[in-house]
Amino acid sequence: MTKLTLNARSIKDPATAKTQCVVVPVSGDGKLKGIAAQIDKAHGGAIRTALDLGDFSGKRGQTQFLMGSGAAQRVLLVGCASKSKKGFARDDARELATSISKTLPNSRSKDALVLLGDLDINKQDTRWLLTYLARSLVTARYRYTATVSKPKDPSQLSRLVVDPGKSLGTAAANTALTEGKNTGEGVNLARNLANLPGNICTPNYLASEARKLARSSKKLTTRILDEKKMRELGMGSLLSVSAGSDEPARLIVMEYKGGKTKDAPYVLVGKGITFDTGGISLKPGAKMDEMKFDMGGAASVFGTMAAITAMEISLNVVAIVAAAENMPSGGATKPGDVVTSMSGKTIEVLNTDAEGRLVLCDALTYAERYKPAAVVDIATLTGACVVALGSHASGLYANQDALAEQLLAAGVETHDRAWRMPLWEDYQKQIDTPFADMANIGGPGGGSITAACFLARFAEKYDWAHLDIAGSAWDSAPKGATGRPVSLLTQYLLDRIG
Ligand code: BES
Ligand code: MN
Ligand code: ZN
């Protein structure tokens, strides 16, 4: 897929600018002023006509293509009547960007000019709008093509110029666009990895993907631990998951060094189950195919690493991906088996389908060696989280309030939102068992919480948060990976730059 080029520029005379599509926000009051009035005049009153005919009213979220009769071949009208009395707010900006992204990349326009000069919007919100617009456009152009012999037409849109208006200078505007673009490309990478089928995207495939990413920057290195090395480290819990599979597990470590040598790194840990059959506690057949996205946490870690590498941020960040396939076989772990984790803690595997926590706990222990500033793990961990929060929010757990607040804020800022869930001590006893230090399931109540409680026992030595993305990482209609929470994670890291 060709990449989208984005540029901010001040356009002296918008009415005479040559473009395949000029994008004009129109307010909902029926009046045409400023730039909208100039474009209307240049196209023989076509906008006025659309308003008079009632085909287009300027209502928030409404869009209308007109064939141009001036310097622009097409005119895309975007309704942006504000719902708030305080003028154009973030919500309005988000809806404007979403409307443009839903329509523009699907037209035949190869280039477009977006004119934002009429908007009554402040500097901060303009910057935000540009970042969000760039990200939305880049993600709207995504098509899954990897295993389709005759892919659908790619988006024709390859070049976009934005006039941000007077509130923001072009240098700042370009920075905002680039940030959105890099984040969007990270989101698309995550979607692509999560959409790939389990027979292609294996633990080894993810390892090769890490090596590929490391080749893109001198600041990024990668190290792959094989099963022999993991056995030496005592990762009996992680290895109990891959025991039933012909695909060997991999612990994938990527180190991004953008900060000072002595700066403590931020560590991202991703669940990388490349296919989850449930193991001996086999899942039902319906929708089992969707369990190819059980490496969605790992995919979001890859996407985030790609984004921060492209932006060359000045932080140290370590990614740890616990990659394995969960299959039933003669060698598979059985319900009731007891395994010993790298921490030395023993685990009774009461359900082999609760495998995510089994691979993550050893990765969390491995993270201790980095003396991290904070550790965030990301995992499609529980169906219970989907029941609790649906798909709009990722479930957030943390052993430290400030870290939780920072992640929640990054989610609000990017509209890739999370919602905090309790990690109370009271839930811990649900995973007690007479036969080991803990069981890997906690009974029917609070399934997402008890999974987090299990992980918390391996994250006592540092500030830690856990994102359960079982609901947010996958869309059912149209089917496919969302690339969440790459935007949240990237923003969280950007906010940490001193
Ligand atoms: N990968 C699943 C969780 C999941 C379910 C993700 C639906 C996305 C959509 C996880 O490994 C799992 O199977 N969890 C079990 C835990 C149970 C056995 C305690 C679940 O949620 O049913
Ligand atoms: Mn499972
Ligand atoms: Zn799973």
Side-chain angles (χ1 to χ4, degrees):
M1 195 172 56
T2 58
K3 291 203 169 162
L4 180 64
T5 312
L6 293 140
N7 271 302
R9 197 182 306 147
S10 169
I11 306 293
K12 281 220 177 61
D13 185 7
T16 59
K18 278 208 179 338
T19 174
Q20 296 200 354
C21 185
V22 64
V23 182
V24 188
V26 177
S27 68
D29 58 8
K31 296 190 190 119
L32 287 173
K33 297 172 296 235
I35 295 166
Q38 289 173 40
I39 300 293
D40 181 53
K41 197 170 157 214
H43 292 268
I47 305 180
R48 183 74 265 160
T49 307
L51 287 167
D52 289 348
L53 288 173
D55 287 38
F56 178 81
S57 68
K59 205 173 84 188
R60 190 166 105 154
Q62 202 182 22
T63 53
Q64 177 75 51
F65 268 111
L66 306 175
M67 294 307 120
S69 54
Q73 293 178 350
R74 302 171 185 79
V75 180
L76 174 58
L77 306 179
V78 193
C80 58
S82 177
K83 274 193 190 156
S84 109
K85 290 198 183 70
K86 286 186 211 142
F88 205 74
R90 283 260 171 118
D91 267 6
D92 301 311
R94 178 160 37 79
E95 193 132 8
L96 174 65
T98 305
S99 306
I100 296 173
S101 309
K102 275 190 188 153
T103 46
L104 188 57
N106 301 323
S107 81
R108 307 293 296 173
S109 313
K110 291 193 171 69
D111 76 279
L113 171 63
V114 182
L115 302 171
L116 301 177
D118 278 346
L119 298 177
D120 174 24
I121 182 174
N122 65 31
K123 187 172 175 177
Q124 261 321 101
D125 287 348
T126 305
R127 191 190 315 245
W128 186 90
L129 169 58
L130 293 182
T131 302
Y132 195 83
L133 176 65
R135 189 184 110 203
S136 310
L137 281 169
V138 167
T139 55
R141 288 172 77 254
Y142 172 79
R143 306 278 188 278
Y144 176 83
T145 59
T147 51
V148 183
S149 64
K150 289 196 181 68
K152 276 196 257 144
D153 281 353
S155 169
Q156 299 291 307
L157 186 69
S158 67
R159 214 165 56 81
L160 192 88
V161 174
V162 185
D163 185 336
K166 290 202 179 65
S167 68
L168 189 68
T170 40
N174 274 309
T175 307
L177 288 172
T178 305
E179 186 180 308
K181 177 182 177 225
N182 286 327
T183 306
E185 280 165 4
V187 169
N188 286 349
L189 171 64
R191 289 160 85 187
N192 220 25
L193 289 173
N195 283 333
L196 284 172
N199 61 330
I200 293 176
C201 186
T202 60
N204 257 324
Y205 183 93
L206 288 178
S208 66
E209 201 61 28
R211 286 193 210 94
K212 192 163 111 193
L213 202 55
R215 282 197 291 276
S216 73
S217 164
K218 276 201 178 128
K219 294 187 173 135
L220 190 67
T221 55
T222 188
R223 197 151 28 87
I224 315 293
L225 277 59
D226 62 11
E227 291 200 339
K228 178 164 169 279
K229 183 75 192 155
M230 288 190 265
R231 201 160 290 117
E232 283 166 22
L233 287 167
M235 296 187 166
S237 183
L238 192 157
L239 291 169
S240 77
V241 174
S242 62
S245 171
D246 291 343
E247 294 289 344
R250 293 287 181 258
L251 192 81
I252 302 163
V253 183
M254 288 173 270
E255 297 181 12
Y256 172 81
K257 296 200 179 75
K260 300 199 185 76
T261 317
K262 60 165 184 19
D263 292 350
Y266 293 87
V267 179
L268 305 177
V269 177
K271 170 177 172 182
I273 299 297
T274 58
F275 196 81
D276 181 13
T277 65
I280 298 298
S281 314
L282 194 64
K283 283 183 181 297
K287 289 200 182 171
M288 200 206 271
D289 60 288
E290 290 185 3
M291 282 303 120
K292 69 178 182 179
F293 95 106
D294 212 14
M295 33 60 72
S300 75
V301 171
F302 276 98
T304 305
M305 293 307 276
I308 64 159
T309 304
M311 294 184 218
E312 301 198 290
I313 69 168
S314 51
L315 288 181
N316 295 331
V317 182
V318 175
I320 303 173
V321 166
E325 191 184 61
N326 188 21
M327 295 283 279
S329 84
T333 300
K334 305 169 291 299
D337 285 2
V338 176
V339 299
T340 304
S341 66
M342 183 180 174
S343 70
K345 293 179 172 131
T346 60
I347 302 160
E348 185 185 22
V349 182
L350 288 177
N351 190 318
T352 64
D353 197 10
E355 84 297 338
R357 61 201 82 180
L358 295 175
V359 298
L360 287 170
C361 69
D362 281 340
L364 288 171
T365 302
Y366 188 82
E368 286 174 8
R369 69 187 52 208
Y370 289 101
K371 303 197 170 28
V375 177
V376 182
D377 81 67
I378 309 98
T380 49
L381 204 63
T382 63
C385 189
V386 190
V387 174
L389 295 174
S391 62
H392 299 296
S394 303
L396 170 71
Y397 299 84
N399 65 9
Q400 215 256 351
D401 291 342
L403 175 59
E405 295 300 332
Q406 291 164 356
L407 288 161
L408 289 171
V412 169
E413 177 72 12
T414 53
H415 204 65
D416 180 3
R417 293 170 296 178
W419 191 256
R420 192 166 184 191
M421 304 277 283
L423 249 189
W424 300 331
E425 199 52 40
D426 311 58
Y427 290 98
Q428 282 288 355
K429 61 176 174 301
Q430 284 181 238
I431 55 174
D432 285 347
T433 167
F435 301 117
D437 297 343
M438 70 197 86
N440 78 327
I441 55 170
S448 175
I449 303 169
T450 52
C453 283
F454 178 100
L455 296 177
R457 295 188 183 200
F458 298 87
E460 286 166 346
K461 301 213 171 110
Y462 41 68
D463 291 351
W464 160 80
H466 158 63
L467 286 163
D468 193 333
I469 60 164
S472 58
W474 185 259
D475 263 341
S476 298
K479 243 179 164 185
T482 62
R484 291 178 66 188
V486 169
S487 305
L488 180 160
L489 293 169
T490 305
Q491 184 68 47
Y492 164 73
L493 292 171
L494 286 171
D495 290 344
R496 304 277 78 69
I497 300 171

